[in-house]
Amino acid sequence: MTGMWGPLGILGGAVLRGAGCGTGVLLLVRPPAAALWWLIGCWLTYQAGAALGTAALPPTARAHDRAARVRLLRAVQRLGAAPGHHAPGPLRDHLYAAAGVAIRWEPKPGAAVAVLAHLTGSLLTLAGLGAVLAVVDPCVAMGAGLCVALALGLVMRPCGRRAGGTGRAGWDARRRTSRTVAVLIGALAAGAALLPVLAAARRPDAAVGLYAAAALLARFLYGLTAVDLTAVRHRRVTLRHLRAVERAAVPDGGEPGAAPAGIVVVPVRPSRLGFADLAENVHLGALGPDESVPERLPRTVRLCHLDALAQSLPRGWRTVPSAEFSGGVDLDEETWRRIAAARVSALLERGATEVLLPGAPDPFLAAVLADWSSRAGVRVRRFAGPEGATPGGAVPEGAA
């Protein structure tokens, strides 16, 4: 369930939950014939909405995470699309932050989906309850609406300098602030629940419905204390870093991926992506989530002995090549050179016909280029200079 279906499932589930609660309270206020069966139907509607939202949430979050990672990996690939171009030192921070891989404290971009889904569901349910209360007693609905608005203002409050920062200091500052907010929202929830209870004394005919509305108001309004917008704010930071990486991948006055089609430009300093797994380090986001490197890139796997490498790692192709992450391992220089050669081979296997080199290739890349040159007629050329060269200024070089 990806694309539009995931968000639609989350929104549909929230609507069903809100409709089930609101209709149930309305039936208790003005019970029709066979009210019990109608109430069972409302309960089933609520449960269906909860199940739909729960089913749609994980794939939607994963889709957001993957979309951000694919954008990043392709931007990293474009960073080497112009001869002599490589990522400057300060870009490393952007790369790690944009990956959204939770370096100790930062949540992934997909974590914001759960927060927004919970907030949307609670607000729709509270809106449905407010609409029912407006039918019974507009004053009660206005008072409850004011409490909801104040609680929402506390949830959406702007952060201070420390609470708005990233890293452990910002996280701890938000945690301390959230305790005070939970107490204030709890008081607002109690006030919102008290209003229907007081109104029940004036409307004995609707007392059962008003008591039910009071209980639901307290539950869903206090549930706003679980809304922590940290993940949403970090998602904005992540996307800002991602845009910085994408801007760096566009040469001045040029277009993304400035190298002509069919040409593989080997960067001066191949990127070592410690936030991406082994498979992503090889294909740089070019394969779909259900496509595997051994199946789609068999020649690259054979040339670079990647199967043996994957089998030696604790999580196989999904191992992150950095001990900074859970389950990750640090790789030696020789292995990174093999991965860099595999990236070139993967691009050739996907249809490229020419390679531009910044200098003499290392033994791993030389073996890859020799195989492709002999079997597929791939042409290998060298840059005219280490910086500022263009594909048109390349000078011929024999196959490695």
Side-chain angles (χ1 to χ4, degrees):
M1 189 182 299
T2 56
M4 287 297 297
W5 291 110
L8 287 177
I10 293 174
L11 182 60
V15 171
L16 288 176
R17 287 169 52 199
C21 289
T23 307
V25 171
L26 186 61
L27 290 171
L28 290 173
V29 171
R30 297 178 178 177
L36 178 60
W37 294 106
W38 283 103
L39 290 173
I40 291 175
C42 291
W43 180 81
L44 291 175
T45 300
Y46 178 87
Q47 294 299 324
L52 180 59
T54 301
L57 190 58
T60 306
R62 287 195 296 269
H64 277 256
D65 286 338
R66 174 160 181 80
R69 290 173 69 82
V70 168
R71 283 179 61 187
L72 176 72
L73 292 170
R74 290 178 178 173
V76 170
Q77 190 176 41
R78 289 197 300 269
L79 283 172
H85 183 77
H86 61 274
L91 191 59
R92 179 182 181 276
D93 294 335
H94 291 301
L95 289 170
Y96 272 77
V101 203
I103 301 178
R104 294 189 175 89
W105 298 99
E106 323 300 3
K108 297 180 182 180
V113 176
V115 177
L116 295 175
H118 176 67
L119 181 61
T120 301
S122 297
L123 292 178
L124 285 177
T125 303
L126 290 169
L129 293 173
V132 173
L133 289 175
V135 174
V136 181
D137 192 329
C139 293
V140 174
M142 290 178 60
L146 179 61
C147 292
V148 171
L150 291 174
L152 185 61
L154 288 172
V155 171
M156 305 292 291
R157 71 197 181 281
C159 291
R161 178 178 300 178
R162 292 193 63 189
T166 58
R168 183 171 185 174
W171 189 278
D172 289 342
R174 280 186 291 273
R175 290 300 182 194
R176 288 192 297 270
T177 306
S178 65
R179 300 190 190 101
T180 304
V181 171
V183 173
L184 295 175
I185 293 180
L188 291 171
L194 184 61
L195 293 173
V197 171
L198 294 177
R202 295 184 287 105
R203 292 289 305 274
D205 58 317
V208 177
L210 289 171
Y211 289 145
L216 291 172
L217 276 173
R219 178 182 181 275
F220 286 99
L221 187 54
Y222 188 73
L224 294 179
T225 58
V227 176
D228 184 359
L229 294 181
T230 299
V232 179
R233 296 184 177 109
H234 274 293
R235 181 178 183 274
R236 289 201 297 265
V237 172
T238 294
L239 294 179
R240 187 166 67 246
H241 284 293
L242 179 55
R243 286 191 292 270
V245 176
E246 290 177 326
R247 284 195 298 270
V250 181
D252 294 337
E255 296 293 334
I263 295 181
V264 179
V265 179
V266 179
V268 177
R269 296 181 180 88
S271 300
R272 299 182 177 186
L273 307 183
F275 51 75
D277 58 38
L278 174 62
E280 291 171 328
N281 264 281
V282 171
H283 65 71
L284 292 179
L287 299 185
D290 299 325
E291 297 176 324
S292 68
V293 170
E295 293 176 358
R296 292 299 305 274
L297 304 172
R299 190 171 177 184
T300 296
V301 171
R302 178 183 60 80
L303 283 175
C304 302
H305 306 286
L306 295 181
D307 265 340
L309 173 60
Q311 291 174 7
S312 69
L313 298 176
R315 295 184 180 180
W317 289 98
R318 294 306 174 193
T319 302
V320 176
S322 172
E324 190 173 6
F325 302 98
S326 175
V329 295
D330 289 326
L331 303 181
D332 55 28
E333 291 288 331
E334 178 179 310
T335 304
W336 276 116
R337 288 197 295 271
R338 193 193 309 179
I339 292 174
R343 288 179 189 162
V344 176
S345 178
L347 291 171
L348 293 172
E349 194 164 1
R350 291 197 295 268
T353 58
E354 188 172 346
V355 177
L356 294 183
L357 292 174
D362 61 56
F364 293 101
L365 182 57
V368 167
L369 295 178
D371 183 88
W372 279 103
S373 298
S374 62
R375 297 181 58 177
V378 170
R379 186 183 182 189
V380 181
R381 297 192 296 163
R382 182 177 293 179
F383 300 176
E387 295 289 340
T390 60
V395 294
E397 175 185 324

